[in-house]
Amino acid sequence: RKWMDGAFLDLEAEAIEGEVDEYWRELYKIQKVFNNKLKKLNAEREERERERKKKLRHIDDPEQLAQLKEEPEVTPPAALTVCNSVQESMRDFKENIPVISIMCNKGMRGRHWKGMSDIAGFDLTPDSGTTLRKMIKLNLEPYMEQFEGISAAATKEHSLEKAMTKMNEEWE
Protein backbone atom coordinates (compact mmCIF):
# COMPACT_ATOMS: atom_id res chain seq x y z
CA ARG A 1 0.00 0.00 0.00
CA LYS A 2 2.87 2.39 0.86
CA TRP A 3 4.37 1.88 -2.58
CA MET A 4 1.13 1.81 -4.55
CA ASP A 5 -0.58 4.76 -2.85
CA GLY A 6 2.31 6.73 -1.34
CA ALA A 7 4.14 9.69 -2.84
CA PHE A 8 5.22 8.69 -6.35
CA LEU A 9 8.46 10.63 -6.50
CA ASP A 10 9.64 9.19 -3.16
CA LEU A 11 9.78 5.67 -4.61
CA GLU A 12 13.24 4.20 -5.10
CA ALA A 13 13.29 1.24 -7.48
CA GLU A 14 16.46 -0.39 -6.12
CA ALA A 15 15.29 -0.22 -2.50
CA ILE A 16 11.83 -1.52 -3.41
CA GLU A 17 13.25 -4.34 -5.50
CA GLY A 18 15.58 -5.30 -2.64
CA GLU A 19 12.70 -5.34 -0.15
CA VAL A 20 10.46 -7.33 -2.47
CA ASP A 21 13.22 -9.88 -3.03
CA GLU A 22 13.79 -10.14 0.72
CA TYR A 23 10.06 -10.61 1.36
CA TRP A 24 9.94 -13.19 -1.43
CA ARG A 25 12.77 -15.22 0.16
CA GLU A 26 11.16 -15.06 3.61
CA LEU A 27 7.79 -16.08 2.19
CA TYR A 28 9.42 -18.93 0.32
CA LYS A 29 10.96 -20.22 3.56
CA ILE A 30 7.62 -19.97 5.38
CA GLN A 31 5.84 -21.66 2.48
CA LYS A 32 8.38 -24.46 2.56
CA VAL A 33 7.62 -25.09 6.26
CA PHE A 34 3.90 -25.34 5.55
CA ASN A 35 4.45 -27.54 2.49
CA ASN A 36 6.55 -29.90 4.62
CA LYS A 37 3.78 -29.97 7.21
CA LEU A 38 1.26 -30.80 4.48
CA LYS A 39 3.50 -33.61 3.19
CA LYS A 40 3.81 -34.99 6.70
CA LEU A 41 0.03 -34.90 7.20
CA ASN A 42 -0.50 -36.66 3.85
CA ALA A 43 2.08 -39.33 4.73
CA GLU A 44 0.37 -39.95 8.08
CA ARG A 45 -3.02 -40.17 6.34
CA GLU A 46 -1.66 -42.65 3.80
CA GLU A 47 -0.20 -44.76 6.62
CA ARG A 48 -3.55 -44.81 8.46
CA GLU A 49 -5.31 -45.69 5.21
CA ARG A 50 -2.90 -48.62 4.62
CA GLU A 51 -3.58 -49.87 8.14
CA ARG A 52 -7.33 -49.58 7.55
CA LYS A 53 -7.09 -51.58 4.33
CA LYS A 54 -5.04 -54.29 6.11
CA LYS A 55 -7.75 -54.60 8.74
CA LEU A 56 -10.45 -54.73 6.04
CA ARG A 57 -8.87 -57.86 4.54
CA HIS A 58 -9.21 -59.73 7.82
CA ILE A 59 -12.71 -58.68 8.87
CA ASP A 60 -15.84 -60.59 7.85
CA ASP A 61 -18.32 -58.89 10.19
CA PRO A 62 -20.35 -56.13 8.38
CA GLU A 63 -20.67 -54.11 11.59
CA GLN A 64 -16.93 -53.99 12.04
CA LEU A 65 -16.52 -53.12 8.33
CA ALA A 66 -18.84 -50.13 8.78
CA GLN A 67 -16.73 -48.86 11.68
CA LEU A 68 -13.56 -48.73 9.56
CA LYS A 69 -14.28 -45.56 7.61
CA GLU A 70 -12.00 -44.22 4.91
CA GLU A 71 -9.53 -41.55 5.99
CA PRO A 72 -10.66 -38.05 4.98
CA GLU A 73 -8.51 -36.04 2.57
CA VAL A 74 -6.00 -33.74 4.19
CA THR A 75 -6.83 -30.07 3.75
CA PRO A 76 -3.87 -27.75 3.29
CA PRO A 77 -3.21 -25.40 6.21
CA ALA A 78 -4.90 -22.02 5.78
CA ALA A 79 -1.51 -20.37 6.20
CA LEU A 80 -0.32 -22.09 3.00
CA THR A 81 -3.24 -20.54 1.14
CA VAL A 82 -2.30 -17.14 2.57
CA CYS A 83 1.33 -17.66 1.50
CA ASN A 84 0.23 -18.51 -2.04
CA SER A 85 -2.04 -15.48 -2.17
CA VAL A 86 0.67 -13.12 -0.92
CA GLN A 87 3.16 -14.64 -3.34
CA GLU A 88 0.73 -14.03 -6.22
CA SER A 89 0.29 -10.41 -5.10
CA MET A 90 4.06 -10.01 -4.96
CA ARG A 91 4.42 -11.51 -8.44
CA ASP A 92 1.88 -8.98 -9.72
CA PHE A 93 3.66 -6.12 -7.97
CA LYS A 94 7.07 -7.12 -9.37
CA GLU A 95 5.75 -6.25 -12.82
CA ASN A 96 5.64 -2.60 -11.69
CA ILE A 97 9.31 -2.36 -10.74
CA PRO A 98 10.43 -1.39 -14.27
CA VAL A 99 7.85 1.42 -14.26
CA ILE A 100 9.22 2.63 -10.92
CA SER A 101 12.83 2.50 -12.09
CA ILE A 102 12.03 4.43 -15.27
CA MET A 103 9.62 7.03 -13.93
CA CYS A 104 10.81 7.57 -10.33
CA ASN A 105 14.27 8.48 -11.41
CA LYS A 106 15.88 11.13 -9.17
CA GLY A 107 17.42 12.73 -12.26
CA MET A 108 14.10 13.53 -13.91
CA ARG A 109 13.57 17.25 -14.49
CA GLY A 110 10.72 19.24 -15.99
CA ARG A 111 12.13 18.88 -19.50
CA HIS A 112 12.14 15.09 -19.16
CA TRP A 113 8.54 15.03 -17.96
CA LYS A 114 7.60 17.31 -20.86
CA GLY A 115 9.24 14.89 -23.30
CA MET A 116 7.38 11.95 -21.79
CA SER A 117 4.13 13.93 -21.81
CA ASP A 118 4.61 14.74 -25.49
CA ILE A 119 5.10 11.04 -26.27
CA ALA A 120 2.03 9.98 -24.26
CA GLY A 121 -0.14 12.82 -25.57
CA PHE A 122 -1.11 14.12 -22.12
CA ASP A 123 0.60 15.68 -19.11
CA LEU A 124 2.47 13.10 -17.01
CA THR A 125 4.27 15.52 -14.71
CA PRO A 126 3.77 14.15 -11.20
CA ASP A 127 2.34 16.33 -8.45
CA SER A 128 1.69 15.79 -4.74
CA GLY A 129 -1.32 13.56 -5.49
CA THR A 130 0.46 11.30 -7.97
CA THR A 131 0.80 7.66 -6.92
CA LEU A 132 2.11 4.52 -8.57
CA ARG A 133 -1.45 3.17 -8.75
CA LYS A 134 -2.56 6.28 -10.68
CA MET A 135 0.42 6.01 -13.05
CA ILE A 136 -0.29 2.34 -13.74
CA LYS A 137 -3.93 3.16 -14.53
CA LEU A 138 -2.71 5.51 -17.29
CA ASN A 139 -1.71 2.40 -19.30
CA LEU A 140 1.70 3.72 -20.32
CA GLU A 141 3.10 0.31 -21.30
CA PRO A 142 3.26 1.11 -25.06
CA TYR A 143 5.51 4.11 -24.33
CA MET A 144 7.82 2.55 -21.74
CA GLU A 145 10.61 1.81 -24.21
CA GLN A 146 10.72 5.48 -25.25
CA PHE A 147 10.39 6.58 -21.61
CA GLU A 148 13.33 4.34 -20.74
CA GLY A 149 15.54 6.30 -23.15
CA ILE A 150 14.49 9.60 -21.59
CA SER A 151 15.04 8.22 -18.10
CA ALA A 152 18.49 6.90 -18.99
CA ALA A 153 19.44 10.31 -20.36
CA ALA A 154 18.12 11.93 -17.15
CA THR A 155 20.29 9.56 -15.10
CA LYS A 156 23.39 10.48 -17.08
CA GLU A 157 22.59 14.18 -16.84
CA HIS A 158 22.04 13.84 -13.09
CA SER A 159 25.40 12.09 -12.69
CA LEU A 160 27.10 14.87 -14.63
CA GLU A 161 25.35 17.53 -12.53
CA LYS A 162 26.51 15.85 -9.32
CA ALA A 163 30.06 15.52 -10.64
CA MET A 164 30.10 19.21 -11.67
CA THR A 165 28.76 20.28 -8.28
CA LYS A 166 31.44 18.25 -6.55
CA MET A 167 34.14 19.74 -8.79
CA ASN A 168 32.92 23.28 -8.08
CA GLU A 169 32.98 22.57 -4.35
CA GLU A 170 36.53 21.20 -4.60
CA TRP A 171 37.70 24.23 -6.66
CA GLU A 172 36.25 26.63 -4.11
Side-chain angles (χ1 to χ4, degrees):
R1 181 168 289 151
K2 179 177 105 179
W3 297 329
M4 291 298 286
D5 299 319
F8 183 68
L9 292 177
D10 291 344
L11 299 176
E12 294 182 31
E14 287 181 20
I16 291 172
E17 189 170 18
E19 278 188 61
V20 168
D21 287 343
E22 182 182 333
Y23 296 154
W24 186 269
R25 282 189 299 276
E26 290 299 318
L27 190 62
Y28 179 78
K29 290 175 192 174
I30 293 168
Q31 192 176 32
K32 196 172 180 178
V33 168
F34 289 121
N35 276 328
N36 288 339
K37 182 177 180 179
L38 181 60
K39 285 178 187 176
K40 182 180 176 187
L41 290 173
N42 276 324
E44 290 170 357
R45 178 199 174 274
E46 288 172 11
E47 181 62 32
R48 288 190 306 270
E49 188 61 22
R50 277 194 294 280
E51 289 297 319
R52 185 186 75 83
K53 287 181 181 179
K54 264 189 212 175
K55 289 177 185 176
L56 283 176
R57 284 188 230 132
H58 302 293
I59 298 176
D60 295 331
D61 183 15
E63 282 184 31
Q64 285 180 333
L65 280 174
Q67 289 176 352
L68 290 175
K69 295 179 181 166
E70 190 173 327
E71 285 287 324
E73 289 292 321
V74 174
T75 55
L80 186 59
T81 306
V82 171
C83 284
N84 291 335
S85 173
V86 171
Q87 209 169 31
E88 185 63 34
S89 296
M90 288 174 68
R91 197 174 291 119
D92 291 344
F93 181 81
K94 276 183 165 187
E95 293 174 9
N96 300 321
I97 291 177
V99 173
I100 297 169
S101 66
I102 291 169
M103 300 192 75
C104 296
N105 181 341
K106 299 295 179 204
M108 296 285 279
R109 302 289 183 258
R111 65 183 176 277
H112 301 115
W113 287 111
K114 184 180 179 336
M116 287 182 170
S117 297
D118 290 346
I119 291 169
F122 53 90
D123 188 20
L124 289 175
T125 308
D127 57 25
S128 61
T130 303
T131 65
L132 179 58
R133 188 178 311 278
K134 288 178 182 177
M135 281 298 209
I136 291 168
K137 285 182 181 177
L138 295 175
N139 193 27
L140 300 171
E141 186 62 35
Y143 313 112
M144 290 314 280
E145 196 170 310
Q146 292 169 291
F147 290 173
E148 189 172 9
I150 292 172
S151 182
T155 300
K156 290 175 185 173
E157 291 170 17
H158 186 63
S159 293
L160 290 172
E161 285 174 11
K162 286 187 345 187
M164 285 176 52
T165 302
K166 186 178 178 188
M167 270 190 252
N168 282 333
E169 288 171 0
E170 288 173 357
W171 287 344
E172 287 177 7

